[in-house]
Amino acid sequence: MYAAIDIGGTKIAAGLVDTGGELLVRHERPTPAEEPMAAVEALLEQLIADPRWGRVQAVGIGSAGPIDAGKGTISPVNIPAWRDFPLVDRVSAVTRQPVTLAGDGVAMAAGEHWRGAAQGLDNAVCMVVSTGVGGGLILGGKLRPGPSGNAGHIGHICVELDGPPCPCGSKGCVEVIASGTAIAARVGGTSAIEVAESARAGDPRALASFDRSAKALAAAIASTAALVDIEAAVIGGGVAKAGDLLFGPLREHLKEYARLSFTRDVTVHPAALGGDAGLIGAAALVRQVEV
């Protein structure tokens, strides 16, 4: 089996996944503002204490980005405490296992292609829409993480040239417009979940905030389709739990932006692995290496 770690701006999760893609155990902690490695180590200790740990062959990590797969370091935009942090070395030192690292969107793409909504698709973009926005690419039937492990990082495509400043240092990025953080901030809410509740009750400001998020995502998906000729987009993460509040306007806006003959048939699907996508995806990264 595989050990898996999923690192996001809000939470860090770890689990054990068997070679068939079944998540056998899951542990989770909030992402600390300071010393986040302590949370990772605590989660790994829980996994190592599991009697099944002796069957673990390797560790897969999907992390909020950017990351540097070659160096084994991470610098997540939404976790300021980690800049060029040597995560692979630190995790390897605790587990004594080989470690594979990629961006969280790349991991999610690997998981959804293995066991989820992208199964059987040869060309797709898979997106994580949560505290931030990440993504990964399946092209020619294979995961394409790129040399740095960040390929498909759709959250930092610019969709508004004079848009709001993004934490990455640019402006008008998909992430700063479409993320759960952005959805909540536009209406003074504490979370996208709270805004979704207001939207379902008919609050026009909440509905407009989801619509703006959907429009940014549609523009990014259409741009990706024009660039690499995908057939589908799979969307997961906390914001995707809003269901039709997001997917309804997203599909309508995609019709506005995907106008070329080879982009207009791109379909949009909710991720199938739900909250387990990050961990199953991290395990899928190891499986990709083995294959």
Side-chain angles (χ1 to χ4, degrees), residues 120-165:
L121 295 177
D122 286 335
N123 301 285
V125 61
C126 297
M127 302 173 64
V128 179
V129 186
S130 188
T131 306
V133 177
L137 293 168
I138 303 296
L139 298 175
K142 295 183 179 181
L143 181 71
R144 304 292 182 181
S148 70
N150 294 290
H153 202 352
I154 195 169
H156 294 283
I157 289 177
C158 176
V159 290
E160 288 188 9
L161 296 182
D162 296 312

Side-chain angles (χ1 to χ4, degrees), residues 158-165 170-173 176-177 212:
C158 176
V159 290
E160 288 188 9
L161 296 182
D162 296 312
S170 186
K171 58 184 179 180
C173 293
V176 77
I177 299 167
R212 188 176 184 201

